[in-house]
Amino acid sequence: MAAVGGAVRSSMFDSEEERIQHLEKLFDMHINPIDNVDTAVIAIGSAMFGVTFLFLAVAWLKRNFHPIRAKNLPLTTAMFIAGVLWFVGDIPMNGHVLLKGSFSNCKEWNIWVRVLFCFVYTTALISRCYALDRVFIQNRPTRGLIYYLPTVLLLAFVLGYSIVTEALSSKLTIGYDKELELCSTTKGYVYVTLSLLWVNWLIIIFMMIRLRNIQSTFNEFYEFLFICAFGIAAMVKTNVVHYTHPKYPLVRGYRIAETLGDAFVINAIILIIIAYPVVMSIWQPHEYEHTWLLRLRTDGLQNMYDANMNIREDFSQSYARMNTSVNQPAKKMARPNANPFIDMPEYALHVDQNGMATLRAPEPNSPTDETTVTSRYSDHSMITVDEYEKFRHIL
């Protein structure tokens, strides 16, 4: 402890420069002080979340738009909140602020903010995958104890892990070094935590593989493909940095890469899920929704049900339950039991040379015993359901 003018300082150093010089000698490495660059990193990360927040706000305003309703806004919003708290935990733990005052509570910031909500974020992704698996693969509704049990167990495990690490000695997990004003983390704790995060991402990859054959308009295989690519890239980045540079918060380049890398992945995954339907709800709301509903009737549902290309009511209701806001029939429907998926007229989808999709009513004398659909993969010619089924599997 150093005394200055009769006052007792809480640090063994008279200045931040002296502290940095001491750390450089102790760790035999160059150390970058916290400066305006770190403030800019926090601002850039906050701007990323600001953009995502705007998309979510528009999505909630247009929550009755069918393609947006299918994205399960409550779960996506939960992901966003978890991502924000994950980012908040990154700020002190990645070294963008001096670890003094409330920021010196390394254990709480790391366990209950950064790691906990990183797990919650990936758990929300797993829940999203599982909901699609229940509807399209298992042909079961998204309700009941069996549906919620996996998510509850995952969250219970994450909470239990946080409680155990909090109860363990700081010498075994993470603690605050008062003399050096640094967070000290053990390799064992880092490796166990990263291993558990890898397990979460492996579960997501496994679920994605199960969903790869879904060919309906709800097909999110390619979305999850990009999501997994971003997630794995973030995990590889974090593993390499923690393994090769355990003191990375002291080096400007590494701490910037960690924080902005996490912020980018968090927001990119959410935007992959909601950005396109949100943009289309503003740009071409009626055309896109009509095309989306038509695809819902004609694309890929024949293998799920031994019926024609019409959607059964129990299916649409089961999927609607993935979003709590659509558990009950819409108030504006003309009939109490009206279903927008079933009651949609038998229109044909036509794609012109410019790629613009339009709906056309069937000709008065056109055959009614066979469902037809216009495909942009067959020079806009009319093809039967059986032919369309072949095209669907090829494409």
Side-chain angles (χ1 to χ4, degrees):
M1 304 289 286
V4 180
V8 179
R9 291 174 52 88
S10 59
S11 172
M12 63 180 292
F13 307 106
D14 293 327
S15 65
E16 181 64 15
E17 290 76 12
E18 182 182 339
R19 171 178 168 270
I20 291 176
Q21 292 174 4
H22 177 78
L23 294 177
E24 288 181 334
K25 294 178 181 178
L26 180 63
F27 299 131
D28 190 24
M29 59 182 290
H30 176 67
I31 295 176
N32 300 113
I34 298 172
D35 54 20
N36 292 334
V37 175
D38 294 281
T39 303
V41 168
I42 297 173
I44 293 172
S46 300
M48 292 183 189
F49 284 95
V51 171
T52 305
F53 175 80
L54 290 177
F55 273 89
L56 267 178
V58 174
W60 276 105
L61 289 174
K62 296 180 175 292
R63 58 187 177 275
N64 291 325
F65 190 64
H66 286 98
I68 290 178
R69 287 168 63 183
K71 296 300 183 179
N72 198 339
L73 280 182
L75 187 60
T76 306
T77 304
M79 288 176 57
F80 176 76
I81 295 173
V84 170
L85 293 173
W86 176 2
F87 172 70
V88 170
D90 269 351
I91 292 173
M93 299 313 302
N94 285 344
H96 296 290
V97 293
L98 293 174
L99 300 182
K100 297 180 179 180
S102 60
F103 289 122
S104 64
N105 298 319
C106 297
K107 209 169 190 180
E108 286 70 23
W109 278 107
N110 191 73
I111 296 174
W112 295 105
V113 182
R114 185 194 201 184
V115 173
L116 175 63
F117 286 100
C118 179
F119 275 115
V120 171
Y121 186 91
T122 54
T123 299
L125 277 175
I126 293 174
S127 299
R128 184 176 178 80
C129 292
Y130 183 63
L132 292 169
D133 187 273
R134 286 275 296 184
V135 172
F136 290 99
I137 306 300
Q138 302 179 40
N139 193 18
R140 296 178 180 177
T142 53
R143 66 181 187 276
L145 178 63
I146 301 300
Y147 168 65
Y148 292 105
L149 186 60
T151 301
V152 172
L153 290 177
L154 277 172
L155 291 176
F157 174 79
V158 171
L159 184 61
Y161 178 69
S162 300
I163 293 174
V164 170
T165 51
E166 175 69 31
L168 290 174
S169 171
S170 298
K171 296 180 180 180
L172 299 175
T173 54
I174 181 173
Y176 181 67
D177 190 323
K178 293 182 180 180
E179 293 185 351
L180 301 180
E181 298 179 8
L182 291 175
C183 288
S184 177
T185 309
T186 64
K187 290 184 177 180
Y189 171 68
V190 172
Y191 294 159
V192 170
T193 302
L194 291 177
S195 297
L196 293 177
L197 282 173
W198 270 114
V199 170
N200 274 18
W201 279 107
L202 290 176
I203 293 174
I204 294 173
I205 293 172
F206 171 76
M207 298 295 292
M208 181 195 71
I209 294 174
R210 282 178 57 86
L211 297 173
R212 70 187 183 280
N213 291 326
I214 294 178
Q215 299 292 337
S216 76
T217 192
F218 293 110
N219 185 5
E220 300 190 14
F221 171 72
Y222 292 107
E223 288 184 7
F224 276 108
L225 192 63
F226 282 105
I227 288 172
C228 287
F230 281 128
I232 292 173
M235 286 298 299
V236 170
K237 166 190 67 68
T238 300
N239 278 257
V240 170
V241 170
H242 278 79
Y243 181 77
T244 59
H245 295 83
K247 304 296 183 183
Y248 74 90
L250 301 176
V251 182
R252 181 184 293 119
Y254 289 114
R255 63 180 181 243
I256 290 175
E258 275 291 279
T259 303
L260 291 185
D262 286 346
F264 173 79
V265 169
I266 292 169
N267 289 281
I269 289 175
I270 296 175
L271 291 176
I272 286 173
I273 295 172
I274 66 169
Y276 187 71
V278 166
V279 170
M280 295 307 293
S281 72
I282 299 173
W283 188 254
Q284 292 180 327
H286 301 296
E287 296 85 348
Y288 179 69
E289 186 171 36
H290 288 170
T291 303
W292 188 89
L293 289 172
L294 182 64
R295 286 189 59 198
L296 182 66
R297 298 188 54 167
T298 59
D299 190 9
L301 298 173
Q302 195 172 33
N303 286 343
M304 294 176 53
Y305 301 98
D306 295 330
N308 57 23
M309 299 299 280
N310 292 325
I311 294 179
R312 291 187 351 194
E313 185 173 3
D314 57 351
F315 164 75
S316 59
Q317 289 179 348
S318 295
Y319 192 84
R321 291 190 185 99
M322 292 174 63
N323 189 327
T324 56
S325 66
V326 294
N327 283 339
Q328 301 298 329
K331 296 181 180 179
K332 295 182 179 180
M333 289 183 180
R335 300 191 309 277
N337 297 323
N339 190 309
F341 305 115
I342 298 175
D343 297 332
M344 186 177 175
E346 293 290 346
Y347 288 102
L349 176 65
H350 176 76
V351 183
D352 59 24
Q353 294 180 351
N354 296 323
M356 177 64 69
T358 57
L359 295 175
R360 292 184 178 180
E363 297 293 336
N365 298 326
S366 61
T368 59
D369 59 341
E370 166 177 78
T371 304
T372 59
V373 60
T374 303
S375 173
R376 59 189 175 93
Y377 301 109
S378 57
D379 296 328
H380 315 314
S381 61
M382 304 299 287
I383 59 177
T384 65
V385 169
D386 292 336
E387 292 170 338
Y388 181 79
E389 186 72 8
K390 296 177 182 177
F391 277 109
R392 185 177 66 79
H393 285 293
I394 293 174
L395 298 172

